Amino acid sequence: MKVVKFGGSSLASGKQLEKVFQIVVSDPERKVVVVSAPGKRFSEDEKVTDLLIECAELSLQNQDPKEKLDAVVARYALIAEELAISSDIIQEIENDLKRRASSDKSNPERFMDLMKASGEDNNAKLVAAYFQSQGVDASYVDPKDAGLLVSDEPGNAQTLPESYTKLASLHDRRGILVFPGFFGYSKEGDVFTFSRSGSDITGSILANALKADLYENFTDVDAVYSVNPSLVSRPKEIKELTYREMRELSYAGFSVLHDEALVPAFRAGIPVNIKNTNNPSAPGTRIVYERDNTNGPVIGIASDEGFCSIYVSKYLMNREVGFGRKLLGILEEFGLSYEHTPSGIDDISVILRENQLAPGMEEEIKRRIETDLNADLVKFEHSLALIMVVGEGMRRNVGTMARASKALAKAKVNIEMINQGSSEVSMMFGVKEVEEKRAVQALYDEFFAAVMV
Ligand code: ASP
């Protein structure tokens, strides 16, 4: 059997839902359908999840969220109308939203999650109602009944291990199961969501729990591209890549699949197939355990902006026991997570996502490192982009780093830092954000363009 997940753009209108229905019923193996909330119908449109966040924010500021709530209901109502589904379901959705909006707000983050989760929860009810209206045996599954238990971290929930055995009993249910993505329940019975785009995670958890043969993830592109199409025109499509390659790529800006969504499928050895709802006959991209990696060292190039680095130098740092721990300890005190720590004999850089820094924090951290660690120099560098060059083939190809750095030098890109993970599946280059596009193009030309002609 297959677990099939549809993203927001695949469920944004009645027309899209018709495609989803055809895809599901065309293959009897497609038994579990995981849905996102309705997404954008056109580029300036608003996602239902974003509307719900605005509703929650207004309510928390004691303002009337009615206009936004009506806009959410209107999105579902339009879909129901397009598909001629009974309006009872819309009444049910409206009542549910009102109930959530008037619930306890003493814990604002929990309230926010309760509102956000309604996007997928109500959409799953709508999709199940639509399938039933087409004469198909389909039912909505409540994640609470099914036992999808998560940690109580608002907006960043993690699946609890006991979920897997509980969810396995979904096997006993008949017909097509429509499961809402993006959220689960804490042991105390409260709703908590995964991080944004987390419906991908739900699909992967279900694929693992039910030991599916395949996890199909339907989105709005034909394949995962070797590089972001907004940076390089018409890049090569990737037919097959490994879990490790995908994990590295999605970490640094490949938004096709949530970067936490691979692990559950990977652990159970279930292949993932990224496919296009608007072109279901295209083979898409398969993410597998192992692939033939003899055709070149690099499979993809990813890049992401919004990083900063803290450069710390101190003479004889290499001899000082505990220096790294103390440095990271200071960051921990400020609640900061770090991404990489390239280091030399007398210096170390810590790379962080810039959006974690609250106003005034930078000066405070600098002062602490200078005084607590007696550092000679502490310097923040802002607006950095990280570029990941990824490929399992790197392990067996000599000179990939030389090729990459030569290509960057030729394009006159100044490399701020280099890091190669010990797994040898990726190389990371830190460059100034303003040079990102040029750098990516140069690397793409080096590793792909020449191969294509
Ligand atoms: N609807 C949620 C979001 O926009 C989750 C998802 O679509 O996967 O982030």
Side-chain angles (χ1 to χ4, degrees), residues 62-138:
N62 285 322
Q63 292 178 42
D64 188 1
K66 183 171 179 334
E67 202 184 307
K68 296 285 171 195
L69 274 184
D70 288 349
V72 173
V73 177
R75 288 291 307 270
Y76 293 111
L78 193 62
I79 296 173
E81 198 184 312
E82 278 179 78
L83 298 171
I85 311 170
S86 147
S87 60
D88 294 355
I89 183 79
I90 300 305
Q91 194 53 54
E92 203 187 304
I93 291 175
E94 189 170 353
N95 293 344
D96 172 77
L97 273 167
K98 284 188 179 150
R99 200 170 42 241
R100 290 180 197 242
S102 58
S103 66
D104 176 32
K105 298 178 189 57
S106 57
N107 188 325
E109 289 180 311
R110 283 189 188 196
F111 174 72
M112 175 60 84
D113 273 18
L114 184 68
M115 292 299 290
K116 272 197 294 185
S118 73
E120 344 302 279
D121 205 24
N122 285 322
N123 210 25
K125 290 178 187 163
L126 183 69
V127 170
Y130 168 51
F131 279 31
Q132 286 156 12
S133 77
Q134 299 301 299
V136 166
D137 181 9

Side-chain angles (χ1 to χ4, degrees), residues 5 7-8 36-37 47 49-50 120 181-182 195-200:
K5 182 257 166 182
S36 282
K47 284 174 151 201
T49 308
D50 292 326
E120 344 302 279
F182 194 36
S195 54
R196 290 297 305 263
S197 305
S199 301
D200 288 340

Side-chain angles (χ1 to χ4, degrees), residues 242-252 259 262-263:
T242 67
Y243 293 102
R244 293 200 302 171
E245 289 171 330
M246 188 65 205
R247 164 94 180 97
E248 299 274 351
L249 289 168
S250 54
Y251 159 77
D259 71 342
L262 279 172
V263 176

